[in-house]
Amino acid sequence: MRDAFVKPLVDWYAVSKRDLPWRHTRDPYAIWVSEIMLQQTRVEAVKGYYERFLEALPNVEALAACPDEKLLKLWEGLGYYSRVRNMKRAAETIAAGGGSFPNTREGLLALPGIGPYTAGAISSIAFGLPEAAVDGNVLRVLARLEACEENILSGSVRRRMEKELREVTENAVAGGEVSAGDFAQSLIELGALICVPNAAPRCAMCPVADECEAGKRGLTDRIPLRKKETSRRVEELTVFLVRDGDSIAIRRREGEGLLGGMYEFPNLPGHLDRGAAVEYIEKQGFFALNMKKLPPARHLFSHVEWRMTAYEVRIASFENENEYRSHDDGGEWLFAVRSEIEEKYALPSAFSAYARRLRLHLGKDKG
Ligand code: ADE
């Protein structure tokens, strides 16, 4: 992440920031209350609640001792009541430990209801630590600055942004001109006032337009990309690489379902232990000469995730080949050599971790 945007952004924040009640304090308790309230609620709605809450419960001890009924009354109308229940549990933990507020990101993360964003916000705003506070709005700003066309809802993109922003923050703070808290809030402020969602960012007024790749390339309406990661059903599978000399067993997948009509290595649902694996091979009418457990592999389909374990099994060669090397009807096993698998039978990439292994281990053949 380039850091040329830091100085103009912080300078803009110094003169353009909104006068908000939680910007007049460095008290970690008050900052925490504000950040939790702001998580799912608009700034304008939070202002009144924030002031009332702090007046009624001015510190951790007061919150820890507050009866639930009174607490819920103070929160009434803000919604997402688990937020305040978690706050009370966290306050009880802090109070039980002597009352001093955790002053590191890790210490904050250990408390209920405090995730990476809130830990970063409290660390930087209350304690001046060079930590990153990356919520959805900050992600939008960062993605546009970099013209990042990746999905910002993906955990890996968020973690990378957090890491890079932390490095930028460390450098900026080390230079002495920028405070961590102001820098964190300047990104929040830019996201709220200028770099707003959808196709209407106010780029003409943006203090960092010169540093914004999405703006320069006309991509602000496409960035950020937000795609919900689908939740996949996890299926466990045990895959068998059954080898007879240079040949390997495959079979045709039946039906119209997932990968129907394609070929696969024989497999069974579930993760079989060695004994069950041998039993399966014997049930097919083969004798296992030796069997080796292979490393696990994973494959992601759009709605299903396969978690595979596998055994490589050497079986005894058969005198009467026709008896066992039946052909590709009805899911029966078919023994094919490497070149046949590569050229003739469609083997889905779900099995590629194991197919690759075969390529390494089965030399060129006569097939
Ligand atoms: N949203 C989340 N944190 C905020 C803050 N400190 N100021 C304004 N809006 C916010």
Side-chain angles (χ1 to χ4, degrees), residues 18 20 22-23 35 38 43 117 125 135 185 188-189:
R18 292 167 292 177
L20 303 173
W22 48 90
R23 290 185 175 164
E35 290 299 341
L38 286 161
V43 164
Y117 166 77
I125 300 169
D135 67 357
Q185 293 204 78
I188 292 169
E189 204 71 346

Side-chain angles (χ1 to χ4, degrees), residues 77-200:
L78 271 176
Y80 302 99
Y81 292 92
S82 60
R83 289 187 286 177
V84 71
R85 290 201 191 93
N86 279 334
M87 284 182 78
K88 181 168 173 186
R89 284 172 50 216
E92 287 165 348
T93 306
I94 297 170
S100 62
F101 214 91
N103 61 1
T104 61
R105 183 173 185 276
E106 286 65 36
L108 291 162
L109 277 173
L111 293 171
I114 298 194
Y117 166 77
T118 310
I122 300 171
S123 308
S124 58
I125 300 169
F127 299 114
L129 297 171
E131 299 286 357
V134 177
D135 67 357
N137 294 311
V138 170
L139 267 179
R140 177 176 66 253
V141 171
L142 297 175
R144 284 179 174 160
L145 278 169
E146 294 195 340
C148 165
E149 297 191 60
E150 292 167 282
N151 177 19
I152 61 160
L153 297 185
S154 110
S156 62
V157 171
R158 168 186 287 262
R159 284 190 293 276
R160 194 193 76 225
M161 290 286 194
E162 275 171 352
K163 177 171 175 283
E164 292 182 8
L165 183 60
R166 187 175 311 124
E167 285 162 10
V168 166
T169 307
E170 278 167 3
N171 289 337
V173 171
E177 277 181 71
V178 173
S179 97
D182 283 352
F183 178 46
Q185 293 204 78
S186 69
L187 283 163
I188 292 169
E189 204 71 346
L190 194 74
L193 301 181
I194 307 280
C195 196
V196 293
N198 304 322

